[in-house]
């Protein structure tokens, strides 16, 4: 495959880091976006380079429009042409009921999980769509089983942001289907990553095992496998799909 770049938001750990390693094995050069942890991002980049691929780490909060635009400008200047985007960066709030939440929390969740994904997709498609002179590409959005389960008494606001991601995936897939850009999503169930600490339940993956038909949480790499398949030419006729990676939950 000719050199081509995959930009992964939130790739310094968890699912994003697993995608970076798997996609580098498949021949992508990788942009490792992160928010705070430069050392963790550099460690992922080192793994990518050890696989013989280029890696660029870029600090940018996906909720910060100027930072996201600057990140894409760096990708244009320093990497091979963009061929893929994984909208992976996402956050949850503390476990709460709706009557205990405040508007500032909702704005942060919407800005990060929804607007961040919309903006990154817009800037990516302007580079990849044949309508804009690009060579085509693929976008994978991170939804969640929360979009269908609703996460009552946990974080209905987060669930709502992921419902928005599902709708956005279906619509954008149809909008770009004739322009060489496929758009799909994965809906992870309970995956063993650091994200659960932010909800106040750092051991959620372990304590929730009995709620999962397969009896165990998933790993970041099991989610990454589905994402990298959706990015690959093996998924050439798949667009607008939302794949549940949830152990049957
Ligand atoms: P994670 O372990 O908490 O990792 C989050 C990653 O995103 C980190 O690399 C973090 O970078 C980065 N990040 C956080 N806020 C960011 C921002 N504003 N801008 C840019 N990067 C940001 O999360 P994960 O569990 O891998 O989750 C990845 C995605 O899967 C999320 O969209 C999440 O909603 C979804 N998901 C996860 C699960 C699960 O059970 N884990 C289930 C369903 C869906 P820094 O460390 O540098 O801040």
């Amino acid at each position: 495959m000719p050199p081509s770049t995959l930009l992964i938001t939130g790739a310094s750990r968890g699912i994003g880091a697993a995608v970076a390693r798997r996609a580098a094995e498949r021949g992508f050069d990788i942009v490792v976006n992160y928010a705070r942890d430069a050392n963790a991002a550099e460690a992922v980049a080192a793994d990518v380079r050890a696989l013989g691929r280029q890696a660029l780490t870029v600090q940018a909060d996906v909720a910060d429009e100027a930072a996201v635009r600057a990140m894409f400008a760096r990708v244009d200047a320093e990497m091979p042409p963009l061929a893929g985007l994984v909208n992976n960066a996402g956050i949850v709030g503390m476990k709460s009921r709706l009557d205990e939440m405040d508007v500032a929390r909702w704005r942060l969740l919407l800005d990060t999980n929804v607007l961040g994904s919309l903006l990154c997709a817009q800037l990516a498609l302007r580079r990849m769509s044949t309508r804009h002179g690009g060579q085509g590409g693929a976008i994978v959005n991170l939804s969640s089983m929360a979009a269908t389960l609703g996460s009552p008494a946990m974080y209905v606001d987060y669930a709502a942001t992921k419902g928005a991601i599902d709708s956005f995936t279906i619509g954008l897939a149809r909008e770009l289907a004739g322009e060489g850009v496929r758009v799909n999503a994965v809906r992870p169930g309970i995956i063993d990553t650091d994200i659960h600490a932010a909800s106040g339940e750092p051991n959620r993956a372990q304590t929730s095992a009995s709620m999962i038909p397969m009896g165990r949480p998933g790993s970041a790499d099991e989610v990454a496998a589905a994402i990298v398949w959706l990015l690959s030419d093996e998924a050439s006729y798949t667009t607008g799909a939302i794949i549940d990676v949830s152990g049957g939950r």
Side-chain angles (χ1 to χ4, degrees):
M1 135 176 164
S4 59
T5 296
L6 174 67
L7 192 165
I8 307 162
T9 64
S12 55
R13 54 195 163 81
I15 294 167
V19 173
R21 296 184 176 104
R22 267 190 180 259
E25 282 173 6
R26 303 296 190 284
F28 280 106
D29 297 309
I30 307 290
V31 180
V32 180
N33 161 256
Y34 66 99
R36 283 162 289 274
D37 193 343
N39 289 337
E42 284 303 333
V44 175
D47 289 347
V48 168
R49 293 184 191 112
L51 291 162
R53 308 309 321 177
Q54 284 191 63
L56 176 69
T57 60
V58 186
Q59 192 281 331
D61 179 342
V62 294
D64 178 340
E65 180 184 350
V68 171
R69 291 187 187 281
M71 171 169 69
F72 275 82
R74 274 194 72 189
V75 175
D76 291 342
E78 299 179 40
M79 295 291 282
L82 193 69
L85 166 71
V86 181
N87 269 322
N88 169 76
I91 55 171
V92 297
M94 281 297 281
K95 175 179 177 175
S96 344
R97 293 171 48 95
L98 191 76
D99 54 15
E100 298 160 348
M101 297 176 188
D102 61 31
V103 173
R105 164 183 164 138
W106 298 336
R107 285 198 204 289
L108 180 63
L109 277 170
L110 287 162
D111 282 349
T112 306
N113 296 1
V114 182
L115 271 64
S117 295
L118 292 174
L119 179 61
C120 288
Q122 183 193 61
L123 296 176
L125 78 85
R126 285 180 180 166
R127 288 156 175 80
M128 300 190 304
S129 162
T130 55
R131 185 163 179 262
H132 292 272
Q135 298 293 309
I139 297 172
V140 179
N141 296 321
L142 266 291
S143 175
S144 168
M145 288 309 292
T148 59
L149 298 170
S151 305
M154 186 82 197
Y155 32 53
V156 293
D157 52 353
Y158 169 79
T161 68
K162 295 302 186 176
I165 291 296
D166 284 3
S167 304
F168 167 56
T169 299
I170 294 163
L172 190 65
R174 292 175 180 169
E175 202 165 292
L176 300 181
E179 301 174 21
V181 180
R182 295 180 299 101
V183 184
N184 294 288
V186 295
R187 270 197 294 238
I190 297 173
I191 309 301
D192 190 5
T193 72
D194 297 342
I195 200 170
H196 308 294
S199 70
E201 296 197 349
N203 299 321
R204 181 160 191 250
Q206 287 69 37
T207 57
S208 303
S210 63
M211 293 167 15
I212 304 167
M214 280 193 183
R216 65 168 179 87
S219 72
D221 200 46
E222 288 176 306
V223 181
I227 294 169
V228 172
W229 178 75
L230 286 167
L231 292 169
S232 77
D233 287 342
E234 290 181 8
S236 56
Y237 199 55
T238 301
T239 198
I242 303 174
I243 299 182
D244 295 347
V245 185
S246 62
R249 186 154 186 260

